[in-house]
Amino acid sequence: MTTLRFTADLWRWEAQSGWFFVTVDPDVSARIREVPRPPRGFGSVRVRATVGATTWTTSVFPDSTRGAYVLPVKKAVRRAERLDEGDPAEFALEVLE
């Protein structure tokens, strides 16, 4: 699979205020769903994510209320890229499975 790119705003998870996510573009989410892979917990998919100059390995998780995957953005990434709640950023994802 090629690198998938999208722009999204950073948002804070209401249930755990320390967690931040971006919603993966619905078209990009559909392409991720098309990739055959063994099932994982919570429907997660392992990815390599990049924003700005920062790249990390994580998972995206399906969110039925949004109809798309969500990508957690950890504090070290937010700090390195100077991202705060509501900030838009361009992300790149590579599916690892």
Side-chain angles (χ1 to χ4, degrees):
M1 174 175 265
T2 61
T3 301
L4 303 169
R5 298 182 187 282
F6 65 97
T7 300
D9 296 343
L10 189 68
W11 53 270
R12 184 186 308 256
W13 188 27
E14 295 172 6
Q16 294 282 336
S17 65
W19 287 75
F20 288 82
F21 294 86
V22 293
T23 302
V24 177
D25 178 271
D27 291 335
V28 172
S29 290
R31 291 194 55 199
I32 293 170
R33 277 192 289 278
E34 292 172 355
V35 176
R37 66 188 156 276
R40 292 184 51 124
F42 304 105
S44 66
V45 177
R46 297 286 297 159
V47 297
R48 181 175 298 113
T50 301
V51 60
T54 305
T55 299
W56 73 105
T57 302
T58 187
S59 294
V60 293
F61 299 89
D63 183 331
S64 60
T65 60
R66 290 177 170 81
Y69 285 97
V70 293
L71 169 69
V73 182
K74 56 188 173 181
K75 185 175 187 175
V77 173
R78 297 191 316 269
R79 185 176 291 147
E81 297 302 324
R82 296 185 176 141
L83 292 173
D84 202 358
E85 186 174 4
D87 289 346
E90 183 176 327
F91 291 83
L93 295 179
E94 298 172 64
V95 176
L96 298 178
E97 304 173 327

